[in-house]
Each structure stands twice: as C-alpha cells, then as structure tokens.
Amino acid sequence: MSYHIISIAGLLYVLAMPVYIVYVLTKNNKLGYLATATLSAGCLIHIYGFIQRFKEMYAINHSFMRSIPITNLYESLVFFVLCLVIGYLFIEWKYKNRSFGVIVSILVGIIIGLTDLLGISKEVQPLVPALKSNWLLAHVTLSFISYAAFALSFITALLHVIMVSENKKSLKYIFSTSVLSIMVFIFISMIIDIATASNPRSVRIFHSTLGNQSMFISVLSWIFLIALVFIFWKFGDFITKTLKGLKINSDFLEDITYKGIAFGFPIFTIGGLVFGAIWADQAWGRYWGWDPKETWSLITWFVYAFYLHAKFIKGWRGVKTSMIAVSGFLITIFTYLGVNLFLSGLHSYGSM
C-alpha cells in the first residue's frame, strides 16, 4: 500500500534531522552531504509513494485528472510535505546553504508521523460529487504549492525574528517566544490527545487539554500554557544566542522569506482564489459564498498582500516584515487545518 511507502519516507525525514543538527554544530561537510542524501532519499521514496497512491486512485476513478491524490486530509498533508521538501532541497542546492534543514526535517517528519498517529483515514475512496471536477487539480495543487512556499518563508522568518531579538521587553522578543511556546504546547497537547484517545479516529485536537469537558483540566491546561509562554520568555535569549552561535546569516533568512512569499502569493491568488471560485461555481452553483474556508482564504490573501505592500510600497525591511510572514503562515495553517477541525462548512471532506 502507498501509505507504507510514504511512512518509510517519513522515517528517513526523521533520520535526517539529527544529521542536520550535528552538521550545523560541526560544519563537517561530509555530514552535510549525508544529511542532504538522507533527506533526498526520503523525497525520492515519497515521490514513489505518491505515484503508487495515484495508481490506487486511478483503479477506482478511471480518470487521469481525477486520480491526483489530493482529495482528503491525508493526501493533502502528504502532498504538502512533498512540496515542502522539494522546495527546501531546491533552496539548499541553489544557495549551498543547509542552515534551516534541521527545522524542515523536524517539521516534515512530525507531519508524516502524525498522519499515522492521529488515525487520519488513509483509505482510497471514490470521489464525492463536489470533487468530480478537473478544476480540482488546478485549485488544490496550486493551493498546496503556495502553502509549501509560505511554510518555508515562515521557518526562515521565525528564525530571523529570533536571531535579532534580545531585549525581553521588545515586541519582537515577546512575539517570537510566544509563537515558539504555543507551537510547543500544541505539539504536547496533540501527543496527550493521541495517548488518551480510545480510538485513533476519535482524536480531536485539544480534547484532553484546553477543550476538555472537565473545567479543572481545562483551567489547568490554560495555566500550563501561560507558564510555558513565561518560561520561553524568561529563557528565550538562550535560543537567540544558540542561533547566533551557529552563524546563520540573517540577510539570507530575510531574502528567502521574501522569495518564498513572492513565489507563493501569485500561485495562491490564481490557484486558491480564482480557480477555487470557478470550482465552487461548478460544484455548488456560486462563485463565492463566504464559506469558512473561503473567508479564511481571503484573510490569508490579505495578510500576504499586506506583506508585499509593506515591503515595496512602505519600504519596510527587517524584523517587521518577518513578523508579518510568521503571522501569515499561522493564519494559513488555520485556513488549511483549523477550519476543517474546528468549523463546519462545505469543505468538510478535508476532515479526518
């Protein structure tokens, strides 16, 4: 089955992570090549698994255009990760820079791992009527390519904000440590959600923490979250010093952030909004209906439009624009996953 092959790719992504860490710490070129080779091997196996998934879809749908495996949450995550890894490897090859390979390998390894642990359905099923449109290929494919570009810009932007933040009373320091602590809390919460779920398919984000039915546990979770934010704020300067010790070039991070958004924004505009509206007209008989996914897609578009506007019209540079890029991807994540998990709408086929 294709998901077994893709799981092997996820394992290689995880294995690439410690190699990247040791490489960044030692700057040993042989380890650098080994890290790249491990991540590349995972990518090639991932591509092979994606092709096998396509064949499984084709055996059911008997249509080339409608067999692209991007029709449910599992397949979209798999495709998103594939785009993310290919995008990172391209940057690494073009700029000869492996400075944020650690973050990418951690992120993609966790995502592939969670598709197994969270019990997300991996079954190959016939398309629901709303998905039987060739516009689906253009709309969803381009949307996830842009998401991957935004994800790369998020990683470099967050690293950039952390590197230039030392004053604990500054907005950028509070912003970066808050984002990091909340991400750590979400990860811990998901692990507890998985461990306490009686059935992997019944896992719901925050069901065991913030959204627990017990008022005591819910309040305790909020206290833990606030404490975590305080701990990161208190000791966040250690992360800043560590990154500076690695001699990562902040100009390089800012440049990649800009290029990721400049690449992803027009693709998202055409694929996510324009083609999405055309598909909506075919599927539901109207171009725009303020469905939660449509509304949050528009909000995402405005945030990245503001980033580019601030960059070119206002002449903003440095950490201000990086903070917008970080915020933009957090909204993108909610548009991609949060809307499906927490809100109802016509895109419900994207749920677990």
Side-chain angles (χ1 to χ4, degrees), residues 260-271:
I261 294 174
F263 174 78
F265 183 74
I267 295 176
F268 181 69
T269 302
I270 297 172

Side-chain angles (χ1 to χ4, degrees), residues 112-336:
I112 293 296
L114 288 178
T115 60
D116 285 326
L117 295 173
L118 283 175
I120 297 174
S121 176
K122 301 176 182 62
E123 295 178 9
V124 178
Q125 297 176 334
L127 295 178
V128 299
L131 300 181
K132 292 181 178 178
S133 166
N134 291 338
W135 286 102
L136 169 74
L137 175 66
H139 168 54
V140 182
T141 303
L142 293 180
S143 292
F144 283 105
I145 290 174
S146 63
Y147 287 174
F150 293 155
L152 288 170
S153 68
F154 164 76
I155 294 170
T156 53
L158 184 58
L159 288 174
H160 182 222
V161 177
I162 293 171
M163 283 186 64
V164 298
S165 305
E166 288 185 293
N167 183 354
K168 292 184 178 180
K169 294 181 180 179
S170 67
L171 175 62
K172 55 192 177 186
Y173 181 89
I174 296 172
F175 177 83
S176 62
T177 54
S178 297
V179 169
L180 279 174
S181 57
I182 291 172
M183 289 174 64
V184 170
F185 176 83
I186 292 173
F187 180 72
I188 294 173
S189 180
M190 291 177 71
I191 297 297
I192 298 174
D193 288 339
I194 294 165
T196 57
S198 57
N199 183 342
R201 288 182 179 278
S202 68
V203 173
R204 291 292 179 269
I205 306 300
F206 299 137
H207 86 276
S208 60
T209 54
L210 302 179
N212 193 277
Q213 293 181 343
S214 167
M215 180 65 74
F216 175 75
I217 295 176
S218 179
V219 171
L220 199 64
S221 300
W222 279 106
I223 293 173
F224 177 71
L225 173 58
I226 294 169
L228 201 61
V229 171
F230 175 77
I231 291 170
F232 269 77
W233 174 81
K234 184 70 175 177
F235 302 104
D237 52 348
F238 173 76
I239 301 174
T240 302
K241 291 175 182 175
T242 302
L243 287 176
K244 285 189 173 180
L246 299 177
K247 298 180 179 177
I248 300 175
N249 189 315
S250 61
D251 291 336
F252 167 75
L253 295 176
E254 188 176 358
D255 183 51
I256 295 300
T257 300
Y258 159 67
K259 289 178 177 175
I261 294 174
F263 174 78
F265 183 74
I267 295 176
F268 181 69
T269 302
I270 297 172
L273 298 184
V274 177
F275 290 172
I278 296 172
W279 176 40
D281 180 56
Q282 289 191 348
W284 303 307
R286 86 292 185 278
Y287 289 102
W288 192 269
W290 296 106
D291 177 77
K293 180 75 82 175
E294 296 169 347
T295 304
W296 279 96
S297 295
L298 187 61
I299 293 171
T300 303
W301 186 88
F302 273 120
V303 173
Y304 284 112
F306 177 67
Y307 171 92
L308 294 174
H309 175 81
K311 193 90 175 175
F312 289 106
I313 306 301
K314 296 292 184 181
W316 288 12
R317 293 290 184 274
V319 71
K320 285 194 295 186
T321 51
S322 292
M323 289 169 68
I324 299 172
V326 171
S327 303
F329 187 68
L330 296 179
I331 295 172
T332 302
I333 285 294
F334 187 80
T335 302
Y336 175 18

Side-chain angles (χ1 to χ4, degrees), residues 42-110:
C43 183
L44 291 174
I45 292 174
H46 196 150
I47 292 171
Y48 176 66
F50 189 80
I51 293 171
Q52 292 305 308
R53 184 80 181 186
F54 171 84
K55 290 180 178 178
E56 292 166 4
M57 293 279 288
Y58 187 82
I60 294 177
N61 296 306
H62 306 292
S63 166
F64 181 87
M65 296 295 287
R66 297 175 185 177
S67 297
I68 306 297
I70 46 176
T71 58
N72 56 37
L73 181 58
Y74 170 71
E75 292 170 354
S76 68
L77 285 170
V78 166
F79 183 64
F80 168 72
V81 168
L82 182 59
C83 293
L84 186 57
V85 174
I86 291 174
Y88 167 74
L89 287 173
F90 174 76
I91 292 171
E92 188 180 296
W93 167 77
K94 183 173 178 59
Y95 295 94
K96 313 299 182 198
N97 191 314
R98 299 184 174 93
S99 60
F100 63 103
V102 178
I103 308 297
V104 172
S105 57
I106 291 173
L107 186 63
V108 297
I110 287 175

